């Protein structure tokens, strides 16, 4: 017989600690959250980290939202290009192909899209893009 013990008598973090973490995160990121395109600073590029797609190749909602936002920033001249980053199918699922197709359907020219196909985790993406764009993204 397999017996499992679950320690649930004390939470790892108290509600006060969670509230404190939430407040600290809010204060730390407050100047990096923008209310819309008009308040967004002009940047060299908009980065779209990859995410899973449906079996038919369509981006799932989180990725589609990222792509819509990047396209809107480009069209509003808030960035000069869009960097799509993720798996090109080498490890798990092609994220790059669907992102390119989706952006092109939104009217983004292929020349305005830079592909980073060697990033398989968000941390990889951030490190690779930082090396590609030392001036910032």
């Amino acid at each position: 017989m397999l017996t499992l013990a679950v320690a649930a008598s004390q939470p790892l973090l108290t509600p006060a600690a969670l509230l404190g973490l939430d407040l600290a995160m809010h204060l730390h990121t407050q100047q990096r959250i923008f209310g819309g395109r008009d308040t967004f600073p002009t940047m060299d590029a908009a980065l779209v980290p990859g995410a899973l797609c449906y079996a038919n190749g369509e981006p799932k909602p989180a990725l589609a939202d990222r792509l819509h936002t990047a396209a809107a920033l480009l069209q509003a001249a808030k960035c000069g290009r869009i960097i799509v980053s993720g798996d090109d199918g080498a490890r798990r699922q092609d994220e790059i192909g669907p992102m390119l197709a989706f952006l092109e359907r939104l009217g983004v020219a292929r020349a305005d899209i830079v592909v980073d196909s060697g990033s398989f985790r968000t941390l990889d993406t951030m490190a690779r893009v930082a090396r590609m764009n030392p001036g910032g993204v």
Side-chain angles (χ1 to χ4, degrees), residues 34-133:
F34 307 100
R37 284 187 304 219
D38 296 335
T39 61
F40 197 86
T42 301
M43 302 295 256
D44 293 335
L47 170 63
V48 181
L52 292 177
C53 298
Y54 291 112
N56 67 1
E58 282 300 305
K60 289 190 175 182
L63 182 56
D65 186 51
R66 294 176 192 172
L67 294 164
H68 275 289
T69 300
L73 290 171
L74 183 71
Q75 292 161 352
K78 293 293 185 172
C79 66
R81 60 196 164 137
I82 297 171
I83 301 171
V84 294
S85 181
D87 190 349
D88 60 0
R91 285 206 182 163
R92 196 165 147 192
Q93 179 191 66
D94 183 13
E95 299 167 340
I96 298 294
M99 288 194 286
L100 289 172
F102 194 87
L103 286 169
E104 289 173 352
R105 284 195 308 271
L106 292 176
V108 176
R110 179 62 182 88
D112 292 329
I113 306 169
V114 176
V115 173
D116 171 33
S117 60
S119 296
F120 304 105
R121 301 179 309 148
T122 301
L123 182 61
D124 296 337
T125 296
M126 299 303 142
R128 289 172 61 87
V129 171
R131 286 192 302 273
M132 289 169 47
N133 299 282

